[in-house]
Amino acid sequence: MKVAIVYGGFSSEKQASAENAKYIEKALQTKGYDTYMVPYEKGFVQSLKEIETDIVYVCVQGKGHGDGTVQRILEQEGILFTGSDSRAAAVINDKIVSKKLFDQFGLRTPRWETLEKEVYEQGLWDANTFGYPFVAKAPSEGGSFGIVLIRNEDELHLIKEVFAYESPILIEEFIPGDFYTIGVLEQKGEVKTLPCVQGLEMQGGHEKDDPDSLKVFTGDYAVREASLPEDIIYQMDVMTKEVFRITDARGIARIDFMVAKKDLQPYILEINAVPGLKPRSLLPGEAKLAGISYEDLIEGVLLEAWEKRR
């Protein structure tokens, strides 16, 4: 089977995409696949045709890339690919649309609203009415970009960093607590969740756990299986499967939570349709806890897409 790994592009997550692709290629080569690294750029479809690729491993992330853009191009060309289809990827990548879905289906998520740049600049929005602290997010960017925590009025100017990405933006209540995540894999059409874990960013080979941070991870991670009450983990597992269902996600995804310190209630932050897949990324760490090797994880995503789409 000829597998083309489409990576890179022009989004803020270009570097992360390239790193993921490198490890994915190595894993697939270990499994005996013919792999081709294809950068996402003008003419990439022609490159796929020249290779006579059987399937594309989608490894692009962010706005204009893994938000349904690449998926729609591949659909139009009749080229098979991994992960969610274009419509689902577009919904998942838009944090505002996702929030509306969570509310519609009664899924607990931090209180939120949208804010347009013009409204903010004209002084027509009162941050005190919404309440501090809050998180400002660019709705179409990846989790590591276009996001700031604003603790008080003195930090309100930081919101301009988010408007530099797009408008409107998402304003979200900050939930003091701990970050957890649950990965989802489809195996032979059955949706299976991976162990719920707490993600700890690694710095200089050591775990970094800052309780006052925003819990936005951009590097390598150590994962620690959640030491939460069984009923809370069960609740999060149910919520994870429901998010996967209502967004019509396919193949693989990762759902992120904040569990409140005050009452251990889990709040859904977002779903990722193209999660990080380096060996030290969160979802591969969950898979390892479930007894799934990195190579088997990467191949499993490929084979699920192959069987379903061909």
Side-chain angles (χ1 to χ4, degrees), residues 5-10 14 37-48 60 64-65 70 73:
I5 303 163
V6 174
Y7 72 98
F10 313 98
K14 177 180 179 179
M37 296 282 278
V38 178
Y40 177 48
E41 59 189 12
K42 184 177 181 179
F44 87 99
V45 171
Q46 183 60 35
S47 297
L48 296 176
V60 290
H65 296 69
V70 168
I73 292 171

Side-chain angles (χ1 to χ4, degrees), residues 118-134:
E118 293 77 10
V119 172
Y120 170 75
E121 290 179 338
Q122 293 171 15
L124 300 177
W125 183 69
D126 186 358
N128 289 299
T129 299
F130 184 83
Y132 294 100
F134 63 85

Side-chain angles (χ1 to χ4, degrees), residues 12-194:
S12 54
E13 301 214 28
K14 177 180 179 179
Q15 181 177 350
S17 171
E19 291 177 359
N20 285 331
K22 177 180 65 176
Y23 287 107
I24 289 170
E25 180 187 40
K26 184 176 180 181
L28 292 177
Q29 288 177 346
T30 299
K31 289 289 188 176
Y33 294 92
D34 293 329
T35 61
Y36 303 84
M37 296 282 278
V38 178
Y40 177 48
E41 59 189 12
K42 184 177 181 179
F44 87 99
V45 171
Q46 183 60 35
S47 297
L48 296 176
K49 292 179 178 179
E50 290 174 356
I51 293 167
E52 296 183 344
T53 183
D54 294 307
I55 188 169
V56 166
Y57 212 112
V58 174
C59 198
V60 290
Q61 301 163 296
K63 187 175 182 179
H65 296 69
D67 62 351
T69 303
V70 168
Q71 292 90 339
R72 185 173 297 278
I73 292 171
L74 296 175
E75 287 167 351
Q76 291 172 341
E77 295 292 338
I79 299 173
L80 306 183
F81 59 92
T82 59
S84 296
D85 64 22
S86 61
R87 184 183 64 83
V91 168
I92 291 167
N93 195 74
D94 190 321
K95 294 180 178 65
I96 293 174
V97 174
S98 294
K99 280 282 197 178
K100 291 179 179 179
L101 273 178
F102 300 159
D103 286 349
Q104 180 182 346
F105 286 88
L107 295 168
R108 189 185 302 107
T109 189
R111 180 173 53 88
W112 64 281
E113 64 182 49
T114 60
L115 177 61
E116 295 182 0
K117 184 177 181 180
E118 293 77 10
V119 172
Y120 170 75
E121 290 179 338
Q122 293 171 15
L124 300 177
W125 183 69
D126 186 358
N128 289 299
T129 299
F130 184 83
Y132 294 100
F134 63 85
V135 183
K137 297 180 178 180
S140 300
E141 293 295 325
S144 306
F145 299 90
I147 176 170
V148 296
L149 171 61
I150 298 176
R151 298 177 176 86
N152 50 53
E153 190 171 354
D154 290 338
E155 296 182 349
L156 186 57
H157 67 278
L158 297 175
I159 205 169
K160 295 178 182 178
E161 298 178 11
V162 184
F163 279 124
Y165 286 90
E166 59 187 313
S167 176
I169 63 173
L170 174 68
I171 303 296
E172 183 180 75
E173 173 191 14
F174 177 67
I175 305 295
D178 292 313
F179 174 89
Y180 292 88
T181 183
I182 300 179
V184 183
L185 297 175
E186 274 192 296
Q187 297 178 336
K188 298 181 180 179
E190 182 180 354
V191 176
K192 296 184 177 181
T193 53
L194 295 171

Side-chain angles (χ1 to χ4, degrees), residues 188-296:
K188 298 181 180 179
E190 182 180 354
V191 176
K192 296 184 177 181
T193 53
L194 295 171
C196 176
V197 303
Q198 186 175 8
L200 299 173
E201 187 173 9
M202 300 294 288
Q203 283 195 345
H206 300 285
E207 293 180 2
K208 174 191 175 187
D209 188 13
D210 179 2
D212 295 322
S213 75
L214 188 53
K215 305 295 192 303
V216 175
F217 302 136
T218 60
D220 290 339
Y221 320 107
V223 296
R224 182 167 62 199
E225 194 155 9
S227 57
L228 293 167
E230 289 186 9
D231 63 316
I232 299 299
I233 293 178
Y234 175 76
Q235 183 182 160
M236 292 167 70
D237 194 78
V238 171
M239 294 168 76
T240 294
K241 290 178 178 177
E242 182 69 352
V243 170
F244 194 83
R245 183 188 71 82
I246 66 176
T247 57
D248 204 25
R250 290 290 181 268
I252 184 172
R254 196 190 77 228
I255 289 77
D256 297 338
F257 293 85
M258 191 66 81
V259 176
K261 284 184 179 180
K262 64 178 181 180
D263 56 10
L264 293 184
Q265 288 298 305
Y267 291 79
I268 299 168
L269 297 179
E270 62 182 54
I271 173 175
N272 300 272
V274 188
L277 287 178
K278 295 187 297 183
R280 295 301 298 270
S281 295
L282 291 166
L283 193 146
E286 298 174 48
K288 185 177 181 180
L289 288 174
I292 303 172
S293 72
Y294 179 72
E295 291 75 16
D296 286 346

